[in-house]
Amino acid sequence: MPRRFRSFAWLAWPVWAFLALALFYPLWQILALGVGEGLGPTLANPYYWGRLAWSLAYGLGSSLLVIALALPLAYAFRYRFPGRDLWLSLATVPFVLPTIVVALGFLALVGPHGVLGINLYGTPWILFWASAFYNLGLVLRMLVAVLPALEPPLAAARTLGAPPLRAYWRVGAPLLAPALLAGGGLTFLYSFSSFGLPLLLGGSRYATIEVEVYGLLAYRLAFPEATALILLQLAVLALVSFLYLNAQTRLSLSLAPSALPKALPSAAAWRLAAGVWLFFLALYAPLLALLARALAAPEALASAWTGGDFTPGALALANTLRFAGLSLLVALPVGFAYAYAVWRGDKGLDLAGLFPLMVSPVAVGLGYLLAYPSLSGSLLILIGAYALLSYPLLARALLPALRALPKGVLEAARVLGASPWRRLWRVEWPLLRPALLSGTALALAAVVGEFGATLVLRRPEWTTLSLAIYERLGKPGAEPFREALALAGLLAVLAGGVFLLLDRGRRAVG
Amino acid sequence: MFWNTQRNTLAGWTLGIVGLLGLLMAPALAQPTTLTVLTHESFSLDKGLIARFEKESGIRLRFLKAGDAGETLNRAILTKAAPVADVLYGFDNSLLSKALAAGILEPYPSPQRSTLRPELLLDPTYRALPVDFGYVALNYDKAYFKDKPLPQTLADLARPEFAKLLVVENPATSSPGLAFLLATVATLGQDGYLDFWEGLRKGGVRVEKGWSEAYNVAFSKNGGDRPLVVSYATSPAAELFYSEKKLAEPPTGNLLLPGSSFLQIEFVGILKGSKHPAAARKFVDWLLSKPVQENIPTQMWVYPARKDAALPEVFKWAEVPKEPAKLPPQQIAQGAERWVREWTEVVLQGQSALTVRNARR
């Protein structure tokens, strides 16, 4: 990197310090305990291999399903039809939705007391559907960006006399592969290590490793076995992340500027629109069911607000907002410093900084309990976990904007005698603001809906909206379930606000 | 590019959040002495009694219910460096060793201790004081078994025709579940109990997380599909007490097979690191006082630990099992954790009893 950026080299150090305290040291504690006594007996137990097998099957099945759905859909999105831009924008809604809200939506639709009257609770189908709900938008956006770039080479192959199928197989597929690998890889990562959905929807038979770890910890205090499972999970995640990162670098090379959607005759456009609308409505039906049922019982929100036997919704909302604000205070500077250092070409930090996206939140919580027992009553520990889990999202949103900064403008500012600080404030900051807005929204979404680490570290006075909902789900009966639905509706509205923030940031970029 | 509106978004958000917090956090300021009692979800006492105690002592009571007894104790152990409460109530004799070994309790030889039944004072260091006791026992739905045979021995239960009728609680998460597991260990032996549970698993026993899920959801009397449930010997009396139509006799009955029931003693202890030790001691004395002890039976359906507490009329329907299973506390202390692990391996993880026994070496 050129010398002119040298002035901000020190920015990497606070990030390393934060990572050491918030991630590496607690993880080291887990490793020490797990390797010490838990690994042998756990690896000898076939039950845990079964858990691993199901987690892998869930991850792989999800990515295949999502790709199978997203590919034809992406082809439909090559054309202009009524609602195209709306759905492309809404496809990112699941990103900001807390898992517990989505889980409740599924329970409201196809749970034991669901609207549809089919009970899919405790079946793999509900989990695969939930996975598609979460990841389809992500993969779709990737493919929509890549597909137009395929047109010229395919046309060339056909001109040279290749039959269409052969052209597709020999020219199109290799070009499409990185995008599919990246999308499938991310879907795998999210599903394989998911916690909230399998815990709330899968019953005991379809528990992922993450859920098993939580059970071992909360019910049996079996630290050694829990840590051994975390190690197994980390090994798989590290491997897949490595493959994903590889695919991603190749992907960024093959990205051509995306073409405008093609026009269609109006009758065909309407037919296409009808199909796409129907598909999305079916996919997002759980969310609609949740909102409908939350609105249908306003008195449940009133009783949830004051609490009764449970944590009052008022306190939970206050906590959620307070923790989100406090985490941003940490995540913003850390994320900014990280993005800056990576942009300057700090390769080591680039890899290390992605690590928080890999570790399981449950493992982070467990690591904190082991590493900082005396802090278990201090908010520091929770805010640390939140900041750790959210800053990479912020930084990932910021990086493309940093890389897109016009060099000429920075150069001009320098030549005209602006100091580095002044440049940052007057030139770079205005250019980065939209991306920062998106990144902040993503970080906020991660914190507002965080469930795993919060559950492990929970203290009664720290109950967030997610935990207040979970509390009510744990009680049999219709009344607590109605209260849970009402609070989930509230949380969904909160996430909607975050989404608008995200969308504004994106519009300013796009 | 509307930068000027965007510039205000972040600032607006921050201000909005801060402002909301100010509004929402204001009423949440705590009063001077609030005593927090960590307990299980079945805890209940007469509201008038609690209000009188609060008025006379000037201590506000906050009851924190953290799931079942086992989960509650784990929560206390996990947060022992910064306790979430001052007093822990509801851990029983099967969990006593775990609680004492974790070093989370402060000794308190309450002046009330001489009024308690001596056989319940299991902890000579007075870190745990008995508050009440009861018997975990099998209950059956009378309507279902009107013209069907009931099992005659504990071992009968593992036969396929009965296993598919039974719901039990997970001993890892539930104290009655653990008590029933201990009964099977005491009655069928260190080896036999695994075969018994393997038979139950193969026959289709249903496992629930806690008593309330098992009794209020899975038990056929309450709309579930299981006419046999692990509950308490006082449950039929409670059914009569709460029945809406004045019934002559309870709709459920105790199935007191020899060695199938287990004495359960519930304890109270003051948590180490409590910020209000004096208030905590006052609360413990009050819990052992006569008015509260006489209120406990119809609130929580257990027997008072105090010798001179009178029992209510409805307790004539509660039976004391003649042949309960017994295990000395030392044996529970040494074995409980291993039995729960082995139970988990056989019942939840689907291993064979033989494999688990062979792995003991």
Side-chain angles (χ1 to χ4, degrees):
Chain A
M1 265 282 144
R3 293 172 65 129
R4 61 171 180 271
F5 297 122
R6 199 56 64 75
S7 47
F8 287 107
W10 52 268
L11 269 175
W13 291 109
V15 184
W16 280 114
F18 176 75
L19 279 176
L21 283 172
L23 184 66
F24 297 132
Y25 177 65
L27 269 191
W28 170 250
Q29 292 283 329
I30 288 184
L31 288 172
L33 193 64
V35 173
E37 45 183 321
L39 211 51
T42 308
L43 292 184
N45 187 336
Y47 169 79
Y48 293 125
W49 288 105
R51 280 282 152 261
L52 179 68
W54 160 245
S55 303
L56 288 170
Y58 181 43
L60 281 172
S62 296
S63 47
L64 291 177
L65 171 75
V66 168
I67 283 174
L69 290 172
L71 206 51
L73 206 57
Y75 271 97
F77 272 82
R78 282 167 55 203
Y79 301 101
R80 195 175 306 133
F81 58 84
R84 176 189 182 272
D85 296 345
L86 172 79
W87 282 119
L88 210 50
S89 168
L90 285 183
T92 43
V93 165
F95 273 116
V96 298
L97 279 181
T99 40
I100 195 138
V101 169
V102 176
L104 265 169
F106 276 91
L107 289 176
L109 187 72
V110 288
H113 318 283
V115 187
L116 280 192
I118 329 164
N119 182 8
L120 294 179
Y121 173 86
T123 62
W125 316 121
I126 199 170
L127 289 174
F128 282 119
W129 183 357
S131 202
F133 178 101
Y134 253 110
N135 300 307
L136 186 85
L138 163 91
V139 179
L140 176 70
R141 289 182 72 93
M142 280 187 181
L143 292 176
V144 166
V146 172
L147 279 181
L150 254 63
E151 304 265 321
L154 276 179
R158 275 204 291 274
T159 313
L160 293 172
L165 264 180
R166 184 184 156 91
Y168 213 97
W169 185 242
R170 300 299 302 270
V171 179
L175 284 170
L176 206 54
L180 291 180
L181 269 176
L186 266 188
T187 305
F188 176 90
L189 285 177
Y190 286 138
S191 311
F192 170 79
S193 63
S194 61
F195 172 66
L197 293 169
L199 178 78
L200 296 161
L201 303 175
S204 56
R205 277 194 62 194
Y206 296 101
T208 50
I209 288 201
E210 187 87 349
V211 173
E212 192 63 38
V213 167
Y214 173 71
L216 284 170
L217 186 71
Y219 306 141
R220 287 174 48 201
L221 288 183
F223 280 101
E225 282 156 304
T227 51
L229 287 186
I230 286 173
L231 290 184
L232 267 183
Q233 197 188 22
L234 261 182
V236 174
L237 286 172
L239 185 73
V240 177
S241 307
F242 178 73
L243 294 174
Y244 160 74
L245 282 176
N246 265 337
Q248 211 197 13
T249 46
R250 275 184 295 156
L251 173 73
S252 54
L253 293 177
S254 65
L255 254 183
S258 59
L260 286 170
K262 292 187 260 188
L264 267 182
S266 111
W270 278 106
R271 268 202 305 277
L272 193 61
V276 171
W277 279 76
L278 270 177
F279 174 80
F280 271 113
L281 287 178
L283 181 71
Y284 291 159
L287 188 60
L288 301 172
L290 168 73
L291 291 173
R293 289 187 66 173
L295 289 172
E299 70 284 354
L301 183 60
S303 71
W305 189 252
T306 49
D309 280 349
F310 305 104
T311 310
L315 173 71
L317 177 64
N319 275 342
T320 304
L321 294 174
R322 190 161 59 117
F323 299 161
L326 287 171
S327 325
L328 273 189
L329 288 182
V330 183
L332 271 171
V334 173
F336 202 84
Y338 167 72
Y340 230 85
V342 171
W343 175 49
R344 279 186 41 260
D346 195 330
K347 279 274 181 291
L349 191 64
D350 189 4
L351 275 179
L354 281 180
F355 211 54
L357 288 179
M358 274 193 268
V359 292
S360 78
V362 171
V364 168
L366 171 60
Y368 286 7
L369 287 178
L370 293 175
Y372 309 114
S374 58
L375 283 181
S376 70
S378 142
L379 257 185
L380 263 183
I381 208 166
L382 193 69
I383 300 304
Y386 282 173
L388 178 81
L389 298 169
S390 60
Y391 89 83
L393 296 165
L394 195 140
R396 288 286 126 187
L398 210 51
L399 264 173
L402 278 169
R403 287 185 177 135
L405 283 178
K407 286 220 165 42
V409 175
L410 300 185
E411 226 21 64
R414 201 175 61 88
V415 172
L416 292 172
S419 69
W421 283 108
R422 191 175 161 81
R423 274 207 319 263
L424 182 72
W425 181 242
R426 296 305 299 271
V427 181
E428 294 168 24
W429 168 241
L431 289 170
L432 294 175
R433 201 181 294 122
L436 193 66
L437 205 61
S438 292
T440 306
L442 284 173
L444 268 175
V447 171
V448 165
E450 211 292 323
F451 185 54
T454 318
L455 197 59
V456 175
L457 296 170
R458 76 172 181 267
R459 297 173 65 84
E461 67 273 23
W462 292 354
T463 303
T464 59
L465 272 175
S466 300
L467 289 191
I469 294 166
Y470 183 64
E471 229 179 41
R472 286 160 172 84
L473 272 183
K475 289 285 179 304
E479 193 44 47
F481 184 63
R482 266 200 294 274
E483 282 195 13
L485 283 173
L487 286 180
L490 182 69
L491 191 50
V493 169
L494 206 62
V498 172
F499 172 75
L500 290 178
L501 194 68
L502 178 76
D503 215 38
R504 274 181 72 170
R506 236 193 7 238
R507 290 247 170 88
V509 178
Chain B
M1 298 265 183
F2 302 106
W3 279 340
N4 44 0
T5 53
Q6 289 209 352
R7 181 178 313 166
N8 295 333
T9 320
L10 248 168
W13 257 83
T14 324
L15 270 175
I17 286 176
V18 170
L20 262 175
L21 286 179
L23 281 174
L24 289 164
M25 296 312 288
L29 293 171
Q31 295 184 357
T33 331
T34 301
L35 192 77
T36 309
V37 181
L38 183 63
T39 180
H40 53 62
E41 57 205 0
S42 311
F43 175 84
S44 147
L45 276 178
D46 182 66
K47 288 200 167 55
L49 270 176
I50 292 174
R52 199 170 334 140
F53 171 74
E54 289 184 324
K55 214 171 103 208
E56 286 169 6
S57 65
I59 299 166
R60 260 194 71 231
L61 290 179
R62 191 167 72 109
F63 294 99
L64 186 65
K65 298 182 177 182
D68 216 295
E71 253 180 296
T72 308
L73 177 63
N74 285 349
R75 181 98 333 240
I77 293 172
L78 276 176
T79 53
K80 75 176 174 188
V84 289
D86 305 288
V87 177
L88 178 67
Y89 162 77
F91 57 102
D92 66 5
N93 43 324
S94 58
L95 299 165
L96 179 65
S97 54
K98 191 173 173 181
L100 295 179
I104 51 173
L105 301 171
E106 205 59 82
Y108 174 52
S110 165
Q112 302 276 12
R113 68 182 188 274
S114 56
T115 65
L116 306 176
R117 294 167 183 264
E119 71 271 21
L120 304 180
L121 290 162
L122 295 187
D123 175 27
T125 62
Y126 296 116
R127 284 176 292 171
L129 288 163
V131 178
D132 53 71
F133 68 97
Y135 292 92
V136 169
L138 290 159
N139 284 192
Y140 68 98
D141 181 356
K142 282 182 180 168
Y144 179 89
F145 284 104
K146 209 163 61 183
D147 42 16
K148 293 188 187 69
L150 281 161
Q152 298 302 306
T153 66
L154 184 59
D156 272 357
L157 269 184
R159 301 214 318 250
E161 68 263 34
F162 292 123
K164 64 173 190 286
L165 306 180
L166 173 70
V167 58
V168 300
E169 296 85 359
N170 181 342
T173 51
S174 150
S175 63
L178 182 53
F180 183 65
L181 169 65
L182 294 178
T184 63
V185 173
T187 308
L188 305 167
Q190 293 269 0
D191 291 347
Y193 93 101
L194 285 175
D195 297 318
F196 169 81
W197 282 104
E198 189 180 13
L200 275 179
R201 184 197 77 223
K202 286 180 176 159
V205 70
R206 180 167 165 180
V207 179
E208 288 291 344
K209 188 168 153 258
W211 178 85
S212 55
E213 288 89 347
Y215 196 85
N216 295 326
V217 181
F219 189 34
S220 59
K221 150 82 188 46
N222 295 320
D225 62 343
R226 302 287 162 141
L228 289 171
V229 61
V230 171
S231 184
Y232 296 89
T234 47
S235 304
E239 285 287 349
L240 193 70
F241 188 77
Y242 291 121
S243 65
E244 281 155 30
K245 303 186 282 292
K246 281 287 154 265
L247 297 173
E249 60 162 78
T252 64
N254 281 317
L255 179 63
L256 301 177
L257 308 171
S260 70
S261 45
F262 200 82
L263 170 69
Q264 191 182 36
I265 309 164
E266 289 191 291
F267 294 91
V268 68
I270 297 172
L271 285 163
K272 254 189 201 153
S274 158
K275 291 193 180 61
H276 315 289
R281 289 196 282 272
K282 249 192 202 145
F283 172 79
V284 170
D285 291 350
W286 173 76
L287 211 51
L288 302 176
S289 68
K290 204 167 164 185
V292 178
Q293 287 280 306
E294 291 189 340
N295 181 242
I296 281 178
T298 51
Q299 290 283 345
M300 294 193 264
W301 298 93
V302 285
Y303 295 91
R306 206 182 157 99
K307 285 180 290 206
D308 60 354
L311 280 175
E313 173 72 10
V314 71
F315 261 60
K316 69 168 191 279
W317 292 103
E319 297 168 85
V320 174
K322 288 186 192 63
E323 305 167 81
K326 282 203 170 67
L327 271 180
Q330 304 84 330
Q331 262 195 46
I332 297 180
Q334 282 154 12
E337 203 154 315
R338 181 167 59 86
W339 295 323
V340 171
R341 195 190 68 238
E342 291 181 346
W343 180 95
T344 307
E345 285 164 354
V346 168
V347 180
L348 298 183
Q349 304 182 356
Q351 300 191 46
S352 75
L354 192 66
T355 315
V356 172
R357 272 200 297 271
N358 288 343
R360 279 180 188 169
R361 288 188 311 276

